Amino acid sequence: DKDDRLRGSLVVPSQNPTLAAAEIERYGDHPGFVQVMLPVRSYMLYGKQIYDPMYEAAVRHDLALGIHFGGAPALPPSAAGWPSTYVEEYADMSQVFQSQIASLVVDGAFARFPDLRVACIEGGFSWLPAWMWRIDKEGKGLRRETPWVKRRPSEYMQDHIRLPLQPLDAPPDPNHLLQVIGQLDSDDMLMFSSDYPHWHFDSAEEAIPKGLSESLEKKILRDNARTFYRL
């Protein structure tokens, strides 16, 4: 309430979707909240129907979901067990984001809740184009498993998923990063972030990719977040 420029996230007990829904009902109408914060490492994949009460409450209150790096400490941060170093955990976290996005699409969360909006926070984005191509390709031969998925998985991602810039896992050549951004085939998916106050945060000059068109830079710096969070 001290600064009307600030917006916050509701922290809910996501491991218990019924209690999470109750917390959303308790504070979901507060104008200062724009999203529900969830850890990317969860006890079950987020596309499962067990989470529907939480999603129903979030959609009813017009709140986005923010799926953030980190999560349940009892769970290994890789698909094959516990790593030995933090650098492995840090680099492997993109795989957990991929698993959650795939579940939301393929298990039908976006089909059940067409207005559900999800921000994948602090997981990077440069891995996304190649991964979208792969799940589109694999999905063609396995459509019989998921009749509720009416479109290409990548189209659901373009409509429902947003990603802040940080961490900016960029190739050394700035032109190659522009190619990656173009391969998203959408000007709406990226939102500005600096990762401040982490020790490895980027300054504003470093955090914004070089060579963006004026219109795309404006969307990333302001318009995409304003649209996504209904500001």
Side-chain angles (χ1 to χ4, degrees):
D1 294 334
K2 294 181 179 180
D3 192 329
D4 62 9
R5 296 173 300 176
L6 300 180
R7 297 295 185 272
S9 303
L10 279 172
V11 179
V12 301
S14 56
Q15 67 272 28
N16 188 322
T18 301
L19 290 180
E23 188 72 352
I24 294 170
E25 294 294 345
R26 190 158 73 109
Y27 285 114
D29 286 334
H30 191 294
F33 291 117
V34 295
Q35 72 182 355
V36 177
M37 186 64 74
L38 308 175
V40 71
R41 273 161 51 202
S42 58
Y43 288 100
M44 296 181 66
L45 289 167
Y46 283 133
K48 304 295 185 183
Q49 293 187 33
I50 192 173
Y51 291 106
D52 282 6
M54 183 170 65
Y55 299 158
E56 183 180 2
V59 169
R60 185 185 314 114
H61 290 279
D62 200 25
L63 296 172
L65 303 180
I67 300 179
H68 194 279
F69 184 105
L75 301 177
S78 86
W82 290 94
S84 301
T85 62
Y86 183 69
V87 66
E88 294 171 82
E89 177 178 358
Y90 195 90
D92 283 347
M93 197 64 67
S94 62
Q95 299 178 29
V96 189
F97 278 96
Q98 292 171 17
S99 297
Q100 294 290 15
I101 294 174
S103 178
L104 287 163
V105 173
V106 176
D107 280 323
F110 294 134
R112 298 192 301 276
F113 300 98
D115 294 326
L116 189 63
R117 294 167 283 135
V118 177
C120 293
I121 302 169
E122 208 175 11
F125 70 88
S126 56
W127 47 265
L128 186 57
W131 188 73
M132 287 197 299
W133 302 334
R134 178 167 187 174
I135 196 169
D136 280 354
K137 176 180 72 72
E138 301 297 347
K140 289 179 181 179
L142 299 168
R143 290 291 299 275
R144 65 186 181 276
E145 290 188 326
T146 57
W148 49 84
V149 180
K150 304 295 185 183
R151 298 180 291 153
R152 291 182 301 167
S154 62
E155 294 178 14
Y156 285 96
M157 297 176 204
Q158 290 164 342
D159 287 347
H160 295 271
I161 300 292
R162 299 294 180 264
L163 305 100
L165 292 178
Q166 297 299 312
L168 191 55
D169 302 322
D173 187 335
N175 292 320
H176 293 166
L177 179 59
L178 293 179
Q179 291 177 348
V180 171
I181 293 173
Q183 289 163 356
L184 292 171
D185 201 23
S186 170
D187 288 347
D188 301 326
M189 297 187 74
L190 299 181
M191 303 184 295
F192 176 76
S193 65
S194 69
D195 209 19
Y196 180 85
H198 287 178
W199 65 269
H200 52 275
F201 80 96
D202 285 343
S203 67
E205 295 76 17
E206 297 169 324
I208 303 170
K210 301 293 190 296
L212 296 173
S213 68
E214 184 177 346
S215 60
L216 180 55
E217 182 172 304
K218 179 172 175 285
K219 295 194 75 169
I220 291 174
L221 287 177
R222 186 186 68 182
D223 294 348
N224 288 344
R226 290 180 66 92
T227 299
F228 181 73
Y229 289 116
R230 312 278 205 255
L231 301 176

